[in-house]
Amino acid sequence: MDNIWAFLEQTLTATVAAVLLLVTKRLFLDKLSPRWQYGVWAILALRVLLPAGLLGRALLPGGQVVLEAAKAWVERGLSSALTDPYGITQVTAPIPLVRLVGPNSVTDLLFLLYAAGVAALLLGFGLAYLALRRRVARGGTPSPAVLDQLRRVAGQYGLNLPRRVVVLTEAESAFVCGPLSPVLVLPDRAVDDKVLLHELLHLKYGDLWAGVVMCVLRCLHWCNPVLWYCWNLAQNDCEALCDQRVLERLEGEDRRAYGVILLSMADHRYARAPGTTSMANGGRNIKARIGAIARFKRYPRGMTLASGCVALVLAAACLVGTSGAAAVPAYDERGELALAKAQLNRPTTVAGALDTYAQAVQFAYEGQTHTCVALPEEVRP
C-alpha cells in the first residue's frame, strides 16, 4: 500500500470478508465446535495479508469502480505525489510502503498519518510487552510444592513444562508471557490444577504466537473498527477453544468445578499485551465462555466434513472473489464513474477499442458543450 487509496481498497476488502465471517459465525454459533469458530479467523488473516485485487480478482468489483471514481474526483484538483488520479489503484503489499517524497496534498498527508499510526501502535504494543516482561523478570521463585504440583499436572496430561515459572505479587490470575522464552506467571496464592492445565494447553498449541500475529494485523488496520472488533472476538474464541480442550480432558464434577473457577475470575484484571495469554479475559467475555461450557459436548466426527465444507466455501468467497469489474447502477454514465468503468473493463479486441475511443470523443465533445457560458442579452451581438 503506497497511497491512501490502496489502503482504502485493502481495508474495505478486509471489512467485507470480516462481515461475511461474522454473519456465518453467528448462524453456526451453537452448531459447530469452538475449533471451527476460532479456526475460521485464519481466513480473515489471509485476506488481510493478501493484497486486494490480486490476479485481477476482487470481492466487490462494483465497489472497486466506485472507489476509482471517487479517487479521480478527489485527486483531479490536487497534485498528489503518491497518487496517480487516472491510473488504476494497485495494492502491491499489505503493509504501508512510504516513499521518500514530500506530501503535496491532503491525501498524501492522510496516508502518512495512517503509516505513522501503524508505527506508533507497533511501538506502543512493543513497549507494553517489554514493560510486562521486566515486571515478570522481577518475579519470585515458586515454592517446591507449587513446582511439584505443576510437574504433576503436566505429567498427568502429557504436556511440556514452561522454561521458567515465577510468582508475581500483583498478578490476579495465572498467565503465560513470551512466545520465544515462555514464562508461566502465577499469583501469590494457591492455584487450582485446572488453571495450570489451561495455561499449559495455551503453550502446547502455540496460542502465544497467534496473539502476536493478531496484534500485528490489528496495527495494520488501526483505524478500522470492524477489524478491531474481529480480532478482539478472535482472542476470545481462542480462550473458548482452550476451555473446550480443558473440558475434553476433565470428567464429571471437574467440568462443573472448572466453570465455577472461570466464573470467579469475572472481575479480575488481565494482561492484554501481545505475546501473553490469560484465563481471565473480562466479565462479559467470561459470561460468553460460561455459556459455551454449558453447551459443551464432544462434537461428532461427522461434523468434521460439514464444518470443512463451510470453511472451504468461506475461503473461496473471501480469498478468491470474482474477476472483472461488475456493472454498477448507470445513473451517470459520464465523468469519473464512466472513466473508472472504462479503466477496469479495458477492451480486448480492436472493435472494442474503437468503440471505447468513439465514446470518449463523444463524452469530451458533450463536456465542452455543457461548459459553454450563456452571455447576457445586453452583451450579445
Side-chain angles (χ1 to χ4, degrees), residues 8-30:
L8 286 176
E9 183 174 349
Q10 181 76 1
T11 199
L12 290 175
T13 299
T15 301
V16 172
V19 171
L20 179 59
L21 289 174
L22 289 172
V23 172
T24 306
K25 281 170 59 63
R26 184 65 181 174
L27 291 174
F28 293 99
L29 180 62
D30 57 349

Side-chain angles (χ1 to χ4, degrees), residues 93-350:
I95 60 175
L97 303 175
V98 180
R99 286 180 279 172
L100 298 179
V101 295
N104 293 337
S105 68
V106 65
T107 55
D108 289 347
L109 289 173
L110 286 175
F111 179 72
L112 294 179
L113 176 63
Y114 154 70
V118 174
L121 271 182
L122 287 173
L123 179 62
F125 278 123
L127 292 177
Y129 171 76
L130 291 176
L132 178 62
R133 193 76 185 194
R134 282 197 297 269
R135 292 200 301 271
V136 169
R138 295 194 296 266
T141 303
S143 65
V146 171
L147 293 176
D148 290 341
Q149 178 191 13
L150 185 59
R151 294 190 191 98
R152 176 174 52 79
V153 172
Q156 181 179 354
Y157 297 102
L159 301 172
N160 294 327
L161 291 171
R163 295 186 179 182
R164 188 182 173 205
V165 183
V166 301
V167 174
L168 202 60
T169 305
E170 61 264 32
E172 293 196 16
S173 61
F175 66 93
V176 181
C177 178
L180 288 175
S181 299
V183 179
L184 176 60
V185 181
L186 302 176
D188 190 13
R189 62 175 185 275
V191 179
D192 193 275
D193 289 357
K194 303 172 192 62
V195 176
L196 297 178
L197 174 59
H198 182 99
E199 299 305 329
L200 291 177
L201 286 172
H202 273 311
L203 276 175
K204 177 179 180 179
Y205 289 98
D207 294 334
L208 292 163
W209 285 108
V212 172
V213 172
M214 284 188 278
C215 176
V216 173
L217 298 180
R218 189 192 301 266
C219 294
L220 286 177
H221 296 264
W222 59 268
C223 51
N224 189 326
V226 176
L227 295 184
W228 270 74
Y229 172 77
C230 286
W231 297 129
N232 285 338
L233 188 58
Q235 288 182 315
N236 296 333
D237 285 344
C238 179
E239 291 299 327
L241 175 55
C242 197
D243 292 338
Q244 172 84 8
R245 289 166 174 158
V246 171
L247 294 176
E248 289 172 348
R249 289 165 170 81
L250 299 179
E251 298 292 342
E253 287 300 317
D254 284 340
R255 293 176 180 172
R256 185 188 302 273
Y258 181 78
V260 173
I261 293 172
L262 192 60
L263 188 60
S264 68
M265 295 182 175
D267 296 328
H268 285 190
R269 289 178 298 162
Y270 56 96
R272 268 298 192 188
T276 63
T277 63
S278 174
M279 186 173 173
N281 64 340
R284 180 179 300 178
N285 298 323
I286 283 182
K287 180 181 178 180
R289 290 164 62 187
I290 292 293
I293 290 175
R295 298 192 303 268
F296 170 75
K297 55 184 177 180
R298 295 182 186 274
Y299 289 85
R301 292 185 178 274
M303 291 301 295
T304 303
L305 178 60
S307 59
C309 291
V310 174
L312 186 62
V313 172
L314 282 175
C318 295
L319 302 178
V320 179
T322 60
S323 60
V328 295
Y331 60 88
D332 178 15
E333 288 298 334
R334 300 191 184 92
E336 289 79 10
L337 186 61
L339 178 62
K341 293 174 67 175
Q343 287 176 320
L344 295 170
N345 292 286
R346 295 185 178 182
T348 57
T349 64
V350 175

